[in-house]
Amino acid sequence: MKNKTKRIFWGFFSLDYKVMGEYLEEMAQKGWMLEKVGRFTAKFRAIEPKKIKFSVDIFEEGGPLDPEKTEKSEEYRRLCRESGWTFITSQDYLQFFYAEEGSNPVPLQTDEEIEQKIIDLTLWKKELLSIFVVLLLGALVFFRHFPVSHANLISFTGFTGTYLFPFLLVFSSIEAVYSIIRIIKARKSVKNGLSIEKPKLKSAQIRMIAFNIPVYFILSLYLLSFIADAYFRPDIISIVLFGPGIGLVMGLGLRYIIKKKSMKKEDSLLYVVIAVIAAIAFIHIVFPLVYERNESLYITESIPDRYPIVSIEDLYNKQNTSSTQKELKPSMSPVTSMHYEYYETGEVNGYTKRIRIKYYNTIRPYFSEIVFKGIIADIEEGFKWQGMTIFDRTIITDDEMKGLWDADELALTEDRDELIIRKGNIVLHLVGDIDFNDEQTRELMLERFFSDVQLKN
């Protein structure tokens, strides 16, 4: 038989250890032998269909960042081998064994001992702690999305995170609550001398699908959102690869080294410290270089017609002007049909001039109001750096200017070098060497950004 392998979705709860054994026995009869169990999938290799007995045990010294091969784990597996069991693989504290058909292996533990160990030493402490950490992190992320930030309305990933993450948290919370209830009930059963409730294999598989399919569907939408944003902003790919992506690789690498190479639990702390130092060095050395290189991706000579802009040449058409650099950073989302940031530097009669235009065209005034207020809040808040607030500005209103610009809402900085306008679905943020009181400039801006065609889009 050809050496074939396949991966199967693995969504069993730890309390389903007996059902896992039944499932593996069914797979062996279909011609598939377990090789490895991961967090979400299990790997099988093709064999001749046959009856094999499986046993799933709990090794209390195991864990996500505990070495697989220590003196205690090797001694434990040696005793299991002498009892007639062959070790296959482990997944944290779950240990997987098999025995060939016709053999008569000694049970690894009595039911009471296994159940007591699972509930008191493993699940009650470790599983509840991991559930609590996941829910806490989820809650923190949830509250960071509300109130809705205007920055999350201009990209697919931002929109997905804001409006779909609550659903992801709900489904994850339902699963977590279910796990907690099962653990409490199982712990109570053990104390009363009763057996842990054992679900049927079919019901366990249905439950796995019900809990996990919605989660994977939402995660798939996150992935599609990232791909959509990458089309407009290729620097996002680099940020992910050199930021969280590298962190993920380092985390997986750290886990692999600890699991496969370490022989003592004390080594885990040393490897974690080394990984943290490497991550800090990477953030301060490599990431700035990557970010600086990405900025050149948006330098352009010409602006596509679909992006309305006003250039330095347009503003100073009667004078000697020349553009030295133009940058365009576009994006969009399901609620912001067009967003871009245009930056230009140029020379006007020998003087350097700079302008920055941020344009937002949303699908409804409700969203343009969020964007308008969000921009004002960012300007007033400034930046936090080394315990200080820098670049914070005072925002003022000017009813006369609001009337001249025919705006629904208008605000500007106290120095009058930044102007934010909302009209219908459109928000315009102007910064730089622009005379906002100049009638010709105002008419040009209104025609270019707030024409009837633009307002209908």
Side-chain angles (χ1 to χ4, degrees):
M1 179 179 291
K2 294 183 179 179
N3 184 23
K4 296 181 179 179
T5 62
K6 70 174 180 178
R7 290 187 179 273
I8 294 177
F9 172 71
W10 186 267
F12 289 104
F13 290 90
S14 298
L15 278 173
D16 300 333
Y17 66 96
K18 293 181 180 178
V19 181
M20 293 180 197
E22 291 181 9
Y23 175 72
L24 296 176
E25 288 173 8
E26 284 191 7
M27 291 296 292
Q29 292 182 37
K30 294 177 181 179
W32 294 102
M33 178 64 178
L34 178 68
E35 271 196 351
K36 185 178 180 181
V37 177
R39 186 70 59 185
F40 304 107
T41 62
K43 182 180 179 182
F44 291 80
R45 74 172 188 276
I47 60 171
E48 292 294 336
K50 58 182 178 179
K51 290 185 177 180
I52 300 177
K53 185 174 180 61
F54 288 86
S55 180
V56 182
D57 194 26
I58 301 295
F59 179 57
E60 61 191 65
E61 294 290 329
L65 289 178
D66 289 321
E68 271 192 359
K69 295 182 179 181
T70 62
E71 291 184 6
K72 289 185 178 180
S73 65
E74 291 297 292
E75 175 65 16
Y76 159 77
R77 289 165 190 160
R78 183 186 65 78
L79 294 174
C80 293
R81 187 167 56 251
E82 292 176 356
S83 299
W85 296 99
T86 301
F87 176 71
I88 307 172
T89 186
S90 67
Q91 201 275 316
D92 293 342
Y93 38 77
L94 291 176
Q95 310 291 309
F96 296 83
F97 300 89
Y98 78 95
E100 295 288 354
E101 183 181 9
S103 62
N104 188 25
V106 178
L108 295 179
Q109 301 283 348
T110 63
D111 286 347
E112 293 78 9
E113 290 175 340
I114 290 178
E115 291 173 352
Q116 189 65 48
K117 183 193 302 182
I118 292 173
I119 302 304
D120 289 335
L121 298 180
T122 306
L123 296 183
W124 185 249
K125 295 179 179 179
K126 297 183 180 180
E127 295 252 329
L128 283 182
L129 177 60
S130 63
I131 290 173
F132 174 76
V133 171
V134 169
L135 291 179
L136 178 61
L137 292 176
L140 291 175
V141 174
F142 175 80
F143 286 112
R144 284 182 62 87
H145 282 95
F146 295 93
V148 177
S149 169
H150 77 285
N152 290 338
L153 299 181
I154 61 177
S155 67
F156 283 94
T157 50
F159 174 84
T160 303
T162 298
Y163 291 97
L164 289 185
F165 183 80
F167 293 98
L168 180 63
L169 183 59
V170 167
F171 286 118
S172 300
S173 299
I174 292 174
E175 182 178 356
V177 170
Y178 175 84
S179 300
I180 293 172
I181 292 175
R182 282 202 65 195
I183 292 172
I184 293 175
K185 289 177 64 176
R187 194 166 189 259
K188 184 177 179 180
S189 296
V190 170
K191 287 186 175 181
N192 293 333
L194 303 175
S195 298
I196 298 175
E197 179 185 357
K198 175 184 173 183
K200 294 182 179 180
L201 176 58
K202 193 66 177 179
S203 63
Q205 292 174 323
I206 293 175
R207 182 198 60 204
M208 288 189 299
I209 294 173
F211 280 144
N212 291 281
I213 291 301
V215 174
Y216 286 121
F217 175 73
I218 294 175
L219 292 178
S220 297
L221 293 180
Y222 269 95
L223 177 61
L224 292 175
S225 299
F226 168 73
I227 294 173
D229 283 338
Y231 173 79
F232 294 99
R233 297 286 302 271
D235 63 320
I236 291 178
I237 298 177
S238 298
I239 292 173
V240 169
L241 290 179
F242 288 91
I246 293 297
L248 177 62
V249 171
M250 292 179 64
L252 293 175
L254 174 65
R255 189 174 188 275
Y256 174 81
I257 292 174
I258 292 176
K259 283 287 186 182
K260 303 297 183 181
K261 305 300 181 181
S262 300
M263 297 298 293
K264 298 179 180 179
K265 294 185 66 172
E266 293 76 12
D267 294 340
S268 301
L269 179 60
L270 175 62
Y271 287 124
V272 169
V273 172
I274 294 174
V276 170
I277 294 174
I280 294 174
F282 171 84
I283 292 173
H284 286 83
I285 298 175
V286 180
F287 191 80
L289 298 176
V290 174
Y291 182 82
E292 183 178 351
R293 180 179 179 276
N294 285 334
E295 288 298 298
S296 63
L297 295 173
Y298 303 103
I299 297 176
T300 182
E301 294 294 329
S302 60
I303 307 300
D305 293 336
R306 63 180 179 276
Y307 298 110
I309 62 103
V310 171
S311 66
I312 289 178
E313 183 179 357
D314 293 330
L315 292 174
Y316 299 91
N317 57 346
K318 295 182 180 181
Q319 303 180 46
N320 182 22
T321 63
S322 62
S323 176
T324 56
Q325 182 173 311
K326 296 180 179 179
E327 295 180 12
L328 181 70
K329 297 181 179 181
S331 65
M332 68 173 296
S333 79
V335 297
T336 304
S337 57
M338 179 184 290
H339 164 258
Y340 62 87
E341 180 177 349
Y342 174 74
Y343 175 75
E344 180 183 357
T345 59
E347 297 289 332
V348 179
N349 295 328
Y351 293 95
T352 299
K353 300 291 183 179
R354 297 179 177 86
I355 60 171
R356 188 182 300 275
I357 300 170
K358 295 182 181 180
Y359 176 89
Y360 310 79
N361 192 345
T362 65
I363 62 173
R364 290 179 56 192
Y366 167 78
F367 295 109
S368 66
E369 287 184 34
I370 295 177
V371 171
F372 179 82
K373 294 176 181 178
I375 294 172
I376 292 175
D378 284 349
I379 294 173
E380 291 180 324
E381 183 178 350
F383 295 95
K384 302 294 183 181
W385 182 74
Q386 293 187 355
M388 300 183 296
T389 299
I390 58 175
F391 302 127
D392 54 315
R393 314 287 296 279
T394 300
I395 293 292
I396 62 173
T397 58
D398 189 321
D399 291 336
E400 181 181 357
M401 184 175 288
K402 176 182 176 182
L404 292 173
W405 283 84
D406 190 26
D408 294 331
E409 293 182 278
L410 181 145
L412 65 163
T413 54
E414 193 174 30
D415 295 334
R416 295 181 177 265
D417 56 357
E418 292 191 44
L419 180 69
I420 309 100
I421 307 167
R422 187 185 74 82
K423 188 173 182 179
N425 300 340
I426 295 175
V427 177
L428 184 66
H429 183 191
L430 304 172
V431 185
D433 299 309
I434 304 173
D435 185 357
F436 301 125
N437 292 309
D438 181 71
E439 182 179 356
Q440 183 177 349
T441 297
R442 182 172 63 250
E443 291 177 354
L444 176 63
M445 294 286 184
L446 289 173
E447 178 186 0
R448 196 67 55 89
F449 298 107
F450 297 101
S451 65
D452 291 340
V453 174
Q454 295 296 332
L455 290 174
K456 292 178 182 178
N457 284 343

